[in-house]
Amino acid sequence: MAEAKNTIPHVRQRIDEIDSSILRLLQERLDCALTIGRLKKEANLANWDPRREREVYKRLLAENSSTFPAAALRSIFHEIMTTCRLAQKDVEVAFLGPEATFSHLAAVRYFGPAAQYRPVASIEDAFLEVEKGRVQYGIVPVENSIDGSIALTLDSFMKYKVNICGELHLPVRQNLLCGSGNLKDIQLVASHAQPLAQCREWLRKNLPGIPTLEVSSTAAAAQMAADNPNIGAIASELAVKRYEVQIAVPSIEDHQGNTTRFLVIGSHAQPRSGSDKTSLLLGTADKPGALNEALSILSAKHINLSKLESRPVKGKRWKYQFFLDLIGHIEDQPIQEAYEELKRICPSVQLLGSYPKAAEPEAKHI
């Protein structure tokens, strides 16, 4: 009798029973999430609680004891929690379009496939959509591990009133795509100027003599590859599904480990998650040692400064403001005290947001 239970049909039957149980529990979890959403609305509380999500991940990983692959477990529950959160209220996210760009990929990675996505024409438009309340969130690139900070994003923080709600580190994997997936069919390689530059050496060594063509976006290049079997495109993996092309060669970038940091912008401040960053916009006095005086306040309180960047103030010659990323939350006593001291000695201090730090290392994206 025991042997019969180990037959393939019997095990498959048990798997079907487990799947049905999982489905019923998912439905029950969704119902609980909808109840939470209604209670939050009645209490005028924020829809999204990153601290709660981080606690759930921590508890489940501890209970798992490495029995189920940890990365997969986190990915599964990311989808479950994202779906339940989005069911509480429709979430619309602005990103630098068109579809299938790396900004789109970052948005889907952060918010999940159930959110509504609105492509916009520029980084500044993403800020404007959030400030005007036309979308709940935007996602914008702020710096690249090879190319450095993105000036348009930093300048937009000086112009628009938004809060930083989160961050994401997205590995930049440039893939060579074409209709057939066969490298031999490619007679022209198209992409945006930046991916072409990032893959210049690979193209020279592996496709010598094959011309390249700069186009407006990686998505536009993927569309060209879908329309013409002899055109290859350098684009993200998201373009494979969107434009029905195939990967001829994955990860052809010349520098492995290239990563772009994205910021999630919204209108509400975020509570502590237990592992946070705080971003400030600082204007210093026009006197010798002014910046050093401000930084000394942070040093004296043992606050770790992870980013310092200056940007010129538009319309004010030789005037600069400084972007600072601090490790910790504005509700943490050292940062709160430093913030108050900075306000006393600096002409302007703006809190851009406290938000959960991106998970490290970042798992492979979809």
Side-chain angles (χ1 to χ4, degrees):
M1 192 71 174
E3 293 181 0
K5 291 184 178 181
N6 290 325
T7 63
I8 290 177
H10 183 273
V11 175
R12 283 177 173 170
Q13 180 182 352
R14 180 57 186 150
I15 289 175
D16 289 343
E17 293 171 352
I18 293 171
D19 288 344
S20 296
S21 297
I22 291 172
L23 177 58
R24 286 192 298 271
L25 291 171
L26 287 173
Q27 292 168 338
E28 183 179 351
R29 194 189 197 283
L30 180 60
D31 185 61
C32 290
L34 293 173
T35 301
I36 290 288
R38 186 176 67 254
L39 294 172
K40 284 183 175 180
K41 185 176 181 180
E42 292 172 357
N44 196 29
L45 297 174
N47 178 255
W48 178 38
D49 185 351
R51 177 175 54 183
R52 167 63 178 164
E53 292 192 3
R54 193 180 293 272
E55 288 172 351
V56 170
Y57 287 133
K58 184 177 180 179
R59 176 177 59 80
L60 291 173
L61 289 171
E63 291 179 5
N64 179 50
S65 301
S66 301
T67 302
F68 196 89
L73 183 68
R74 186 180 182 89
S75 178
I76 289 168
F77 274 90
H78 172 75
E79 292 299 324
I80 291 172
M81 287 191 286
T82 299
T83 300
C84 289
R85 170 162 36 93
L86 295 176
Q88 297 174 12
K89 181 180 179 181
D90 290 338
V91 172
E92 193 166 12
V93 183
F95 69 92
L96 178 61
E99 293 183 355
T101 59
F102 283 102
S103 289
H104 187 197
L105 180 60
V108 173
R109 177 64 190 274
Y110 195 91
F111 289 96
Q116 299 176 29
Y117 295 102
R118 181 186 296 183
V120 294
S122 68
I123 288 174
E124 190 170 341
D125 284 343
F127 279 82
L128 182 62
E129 292 297 294
V130 171
E131 184 185 67
K132 295 298 183 182
R134 291 192 281 260
V135 297
Q136 290 94 332
Y137 298 104
I139 190 162
V140 292
V142 68
E143 60 182 320
N144 179 268
S145 61
I146 292 177
D147 297 325
S149 296
I150 297 170
L152 283 173
T153 299
L154 298 181
D155 289 346
S156 293
F157 279 113
M158 299 165 65
K159 185 175 180 180
Y160 297 96
K161 300 298 182 183
V162 299
N163 284 310
I164 302 176
C165 302
E167 68 172 356
L168 172 75
H169 295 167
L170 183 74
V172 179
R173 297 187 177 97
Q174 304 287 6
N175 303 287
L176 184 59
L177 316 176
C178 65
S180 66
N182 191 336
L183 193 64
K184 295 180 180 180
D185 292 335
I186 297 175
Q187 299 176 11
L188 172 72
V189 177
S191 193
H192 185 269
Q194 189 176 44
L196 285 173
Q198 292 176 354
C199 304
R200 184 181 294 112
E201 285 302 309
W202 190 96
L203 292 171
R204 184 182 63 80
K205 293 178 181 178
N206 294 275
L207 292 176
I210 299 297
T212 60
L213 176 68
E214 290 186 13
V215 294
S216 59
S217 67
T218 55
Q223 181 65 67
M224 293 174 63
D227 295 338
N228 188 323
N230 298 126
I231 292 180
I234 301 175
S236 73
E237 293 178 26
L238 195 60
V240 175
K241 298 178 182 178
R242 174 65 179 82
Y243 297 100
E244 298 182 350
V245 290
Q246 299 184 57
I247 297 178
V249 185
S251 298
I252 66 169
E253 62 274 5
D254 295 331
H255 300 284
Q256 300 295 316
N258 186 11
T259 301
T260 297
R261 178 188 176 210
F262 288 85
L263 294 178
V264 178
I265 56 176
S267 58
H268 294 94
Q270 301 300 316
R272 280 195 187 104
S273 72
S275 179
D276 301 288
K277 281 185 181 178
T278 294
S279 294
L280 301 177
L281 180 58
L282 191 69
T284 58
D286 187 11
K287 65 178 185 180
L291 179 60
N292 181 64
E293 183 181 4
L295 297 181
S296 294
I297 292 174
L298 305 179
S299 177
K301 296 186 180 299
H302 306 288
I303 296 171
N304 186 8
L305 179 67
S306 62
K307 180 179 177 63
L308 173 63
E309 186 89 14
S310 66
R311 289 297 301 160
V313 179
K314 307 302 181 186
K316 295 183 179 181
R317 188 177 301 173
W318 317 128
K319 296 290 185 180
Y320 295 86
Q321 287 196 312
F322 298 89
F323 291 84
L324 285 70
D325 285 345
L326 316 178
I327 302 302
H329 195 278
I330 190 61
E331 295 177 2
D332 297 342
Q333 184 175 348
I335 293 184
Q336 180 62 49
E337 291 177 350
Y339 178 58
E340 295 300 327
E341 290 186 32
L342 288 171
K343 287 196 294 184
R344 285 195 291 269
I345 69 166
C346 297
S348 65
V349 182
Q350 180 183 344
L351 174 63
L352 298 178
S354 289
Y355 48 93
K357 289 172 57 180
E360 295 285 2
E362 189 71 26
K364 184 179 179 181
H365 61 264
I366 59 173

